Amino acid sequence: MDYFDRFAVPHPSPAIYASMAAIALTSIAIIVGVTYFKKWGYLWREWLTTVDHKRIGIMYILSALLMLFRGGADAIMMRAQTAVPDNGLLDGQHYNEIFTTHGVVMILFMAMPFIIGLMNVVVPLQIGARDVAFPRLNAISFWLFFMGAMLFNISFVVGGSPDAGWTAYFPLASTEFSESVGNNYYAIAIQIAGIGTLATGINFIVTILKMRAPGMKLMKMPMFTWSILITNLIIVFAFPVLTVALALMTMDRLFGTHFFTMADGGMDMLWANLFWIWGHPEVYIVILPAFGIYSEIISTFARRNLYGYKSMVVSMVAISVLSFVVWAHHFYTMGHGVMVNSIFSITTMAIAVPTGVKIFNWLFTLWKGKIVFTVPMLYSLAFIPIFTIGGVTGVMLAMSSADYQYHNTMFLVAHFHYVLIPGTVFAVLAGFTYWWPKIFNFQLSEKIGKWAFWFIAISFNVTFFPMFITGLDGQARRMYTYSESTGFGPLNMLSFIGALGLLVGFALLLYNIYWSTRYAPRNTTNDPWNARSLEWATHSPVPEYNFAIVPTVNSVEAFWDSKTKGVELFKGKIEEIHMPNNSGVPFVMGVIFFIWGFAMVFSMWIIAILATIGIFACMAHRSFEQDHGHHIHVEEIEETEKKLRGAK
């Protein structure tokens, strides 16, 4: 393959060229706009070099919203292609690339950063800390994620996207069956982003274990913080497996090794095992924080303490352990014996028990509560029945003998969307709305938010419930076309209509942000939702230092107790605060990683070597960097506090 062929634009169709033109024009418009308004200095000082956990969290969330619509565009194209029999909208290769990128983008570049963004904003506030344990590592984590996501997405227009499914099973992902560079993008872009996620896991474990406010024992932590601690423990145990698997995949594709091919003693099932040893815990990496979000929201808007605090913690720990012993249920039909299938069938069904405990705890929290139907509460209430459908169908799939009927059908696609969309997407939208006033000092419109909710909730069921039926009737997943004689057409058209409804719902979400930013009243009330957790004890928006005085915590409902029982939360006096300085090293290192990744994808070894040297140079520079942070003096803190109180 010569240089020109490697850089040839894939799928030279009008749609692809139109997309390329739109991307180019948008990029040019952004550059011209920033230059015209002279904002380059502001962007560099306040955002590109920031180490403030709140700003980093906002950047994660913005990236996730961008990827939500990127992955959503893939979903619309898939539903449009299968809406009618024998459709010629997309060819087979293009369809393969679309469903591959859809899965990767939605799981790794939408759900993960949305969760990590909320984690960044909320967790330090909930535990009474002024930042995370390692602020610069936090910045590096974001820029590695972001550059990995951008590297993955440029495959759409340069070289071709990955085409072996989001699981990238071998031999489909090998150079024998996928000669383009698409799966090189998969291996290297996810590797870069994964390193950042692993660093985040380490950072937040240390933050939660070592930086809690005085008096906050582990069993006094808010439930969201508990869910984040357990999630990051899963990350630290699971992501190294993905790191190794992607490294071996890279060696197979770029250097001719045979770890995952049958030639020279390799084994394709080795990839399947490594992938799902990471992949199934990954499901709970995005689900468990959602459980924490729902726990915060349901207790707040039911006006009751969370029922069964200890059982909620124990059930999350049980889920995290069981998540590592169910991976083989993803390939019951691939040659396991009866004993192996039976063991994994039992462990898979067992994980439904602690999940069921949480469902009942939320229901008991609602029981006799004074429920307020805000937008976050609507998402939380809708989650319970919809997620239960996903769980029940999951138990059906857990039966290894029955799975021979369900495997690789649209029934499976419906199942995991019934788990992941209410279990993650509903949760991050609920948390996004719930904590928005804490971040930006104004609330999103309830009216527009409720319109968006109803469009999303109803359209979701219209989109995915028909797939249960067509799957049981034999429609296979990943097929880009089917004949009219199958009878799948009407239900697939219904799914397409539902997908359009989801598009309207998410468009309303964006419109809500636009409208509220322009017209919603500003205020600095600390408790717009009558909330219960400690993050609401500081000002809105939150100052750089989070808390002028570090709070003293005596119960799991410390903020609520300070309001209702008169328990003193802030003891002591205002003193000088030390905060870390901004740093350009994380951003520069992220850019160099992007260059390194692009060079590796196209086997441009000289550039890759130079980029590798650049990465180590950044690390060396950071090790010699004399940065003792900056001090915020008492007078400055008092002035800031006075302004924030005066703005109420």
Side-chain angles (χ1 to χ4, degrees), residues 50 72 80 150 346 493 502 540 581 622 639:
T50 187
M150 294 302 101
I346 292 168
M493 176 58 75
L502 282 170
S540 303
N581 285 336
R622 177 70 194 106
E639 183 65 24

Side-chain angles (χ1 to χ4, degrees), residues 412-428:
L412 175 61
V413 175
H415 155 71
F416 65 69
H417 282 88
Y418 262 80
V419 171
L420 287 173
I421 291 184
T424 299
V425 178
F426 280 22
V428 294

Side-chain angles (χ1 to χ4, degrees), residues 227-449:
S227 71
I228 294 303
L229 175 60
I230 295 169
T231 295
N232 283 290
L233 287 169
I234 298 175
I235 287 174
V236 167
F237 280 99
F239 264 80
V241 180
L242 178 66
T243 300
V244 170
L246 291 171
L248 298 181
M249 179 182 185
T250 302
M251 293 174 72
D252 269 16
R253 289 194 56 85
L254 296 183
F255 303 110
T257 58
H258 297 282
F259 291 103
F260 304 126
T261 59
M262 298 307 291
D264 297 323
M267 183 186 299
D268 51 0
M269 283 302 295
L270 175 61
W271 170 266
N273 278 278
L274 290 174
F275 182 88
W276 285 114
I277 288 172
W278 162 80
H280 204 87
E282 165 64 19
V283 172
Y284 292 96
I285 289 170
V286 297
I287 290 287
L288 285 176
F291 290 170
I293 292 170
Y294 289 134
S295 296
E296 300 285 346
I297 291 172
I298 288 173
S299 65
T300 295
F301 296 117
R303 300 293 191 261
R304 295 192 64 196
N305 290 350
L306 184 66
Y307 180 90
Y309 178 93
K310 291 182 180 178
S311 64
M312 292 288 266
V313 173
V314 171
S315 64
M316 283 195 291
V317 173
I319 289 170
S320 69
V321 173
L322 288 170
S323 71
F324 283 93
V325 292
V326 299
W327 79 88
H329 70 213
H330 291 275
F331 37 89
Y332 281 145
T333 64
M334 297 185 191
H336 287 311
V338 173
M339 179 61 74
V340 172
N341 279 358
S342 298
I343 290 171
F344 281 93
S345 183
I346 292 168
T347 57
T348 302
M349 286 189 249
I351 208 167
V353 176
T355 308
V357 168
K358 304 182 80 60
I359 295 289
F360 281 107
N361 281 359
W362 290 317
L363 292 175
F364 285 132
T365 304
L366 292 167
W367 180 253
K368 294 186 178 179
K370 297 178 181 178
I371 299 173
V372 182
F373 293 99
T374 61
V375 171
M377 191 61 160
L378 288 174
Y379 281 112
S380 303
L381 294 175
F383 151 79
I384 294 174
I386 298 174
F387 186 82
T388 301
I389 295 172
V392 169
T393 53
V395 173
M396 293 172 63
L397 287 157
M399 296 182 287
S400 55
S401 56
D403 191 61
Y404 279 80
Q405 169 69 23
Y406 309 137
H407 189 72
N408 269 345
T409 67
M410 296 303 288
F411 184 91
L412 175 61
V413 175
H415 155 71
F416 65 69
H417 282 88
Y418 262 80
V419 171
L420 287 173
I421 291 184
T424 299
V425 178
F426 280 22
V428 294
L429 295 181
F432 176 69
T433 308
Y434 178 66
W435 282 303
W436 179 277
K438 188 80 264 174
I439 306 170
F440 296 108
N441 194 33
F442 63 92
Q443 291 179 229
L444 294 173
S445 166
E446 281 283 291
K447 182 177 180 181
I448 302 173

Side-chain angles (χ1 to χ4, degrees), residues 34 53 87 114 118 140 191 205 235 285 318 321 353 388 437 483 506 562 609:
V34 173
H53 71 95
N87 197 351
F114 221 136
L118 292 174
I140 290 173
Q191 185 76 281
I205 290 172
I235 287 174
I285 289 170
V321 173
V353 176
T388 301
S483 67
F506 288 117
S562 71
I609 291 169

Side-chain angles (χ1 to χ4, degrees), residues 27-286:
S27 301
I28 293 170
I30 291 172
I31 292 170
V32 170
V34 173
T35 303
Y36 178 79
F37 290 105
K38 300 178 180 179
K39 291 294 184 180
W40 287 113
Y42 167 79
L43 285 175
W44 177 258
R45 291 188 307 273
E46 301 295 330
W47 294 96
L48 300 183
T49 63
T50 187
V51 296
D52 184 344
H53 71 95
K54 301 177 289 294
R55 289 180 180 267
I56 290 172
I58 292 169
M59 290 193 292
Y60 268 116
I61 292 170
L62 289 174
S63 301
L65 286 172
L66 177 64
M67 291 297 102
L68 175 65
F69 284 88
R70 163 68 176 87
D74 288 338
I76 291 292
M77 286 191 284
M78 283 191 288
R79 293 297 98 222
Q81 169 63 23
T82 57
V84 295
D86 301 313
N87 197 351
L89 177 66
L90 304 172
D91 61 32
Q93 175 62 23
H94 200 180
Y95 190 80
N96 288 349
E97 296 186 12
I98 285 171
F99 72 66
T100 299
T101 56
H102 170 74
V104 174
V105 166
M106 286 302 204
I107 294 289
L108 293 173
F109 300 137
M110 189 286 290
M112 287 287 290
F114 221 136
I115 291 292
I116 294 173
L118 292 174
M119 177 197 313
N120 264 280
V121 171
V122 175
V123 168
L125 299 178
Q126 284 200 334
I127 65 173
R130 291 202 167 109
D131 210 315
V132 297
F134 308 111
R136 292 175 186 82
L137 182 63
N138 198 25
I140 290 173
S141 297
F142 170 74
W143 288 114
L144 288 181
F145 147 74
F146 184 79
M147 294 303 172
M150 294 302 101
L151 180 64
F152 186 87
N153 276 277
I154 65 167
S155 66
F156 178 63
V157 292
V158 182
S161 295
D163 58 2
W166 92 278
T167 56
Y169 278 174
F170 280 77
L172 290 177
S174 68
T175 52
E176 180 182 0
F177 292 97
S178 181
E179 296 181 3
S180 75
V181 297
N183 286 301
N184 294 355
Y185 275 114
Y186 178 100
I188 294 166
I190 296 176
Q191 185 76 281
I192 293 170
I195 294 170
T197 302
L198 181 58
T200 296
I202 296 168
N203 202 348
F204 273 85
I205 290 172
V206 177
T207 299
I208 294 170
L209 292 182
K210 303 297 291 184
M211 298 184 68
R212 299 191 306 278
M216 184 179 282
K217 306 297 183 184
L218 285 175
M219 295 307 291
K220 292 180 181 177
M221 292 195 308
M223 194 53 61
F224 180 67
T225 298
W226 255 117
S227 71
I228 294 303
L229 175 60
I230 295 169
T231 295
N232 283 290
L233 287 169
I234 298 175
I235 287 174
V236 167
F237 280 99
F239 264 80
V241 180
L242 178 66
T243 300
V244 170
L246 291 171
L248 298 181
M249 179 182 185
T250 302
M251 293 174 72
D252 269 16
R253 289 194 56 85
L254 296 183
F255 303 110
T257 58
H258 297 282
F259 291 103
F260 304 126
T261 59
M262 298 307 291
D264 297 323
M267 183 186 299
D268 51 0
M269 283 302 295
L270 175 61
W271 170 266
N273 278 278
L274 290 174
F275 182 88
W276 285 114
I277 288 172
W278 162 80
H280 204 87
E282 165 64 19
V283 172
Y284 292 96
I285 289 170
V286 297

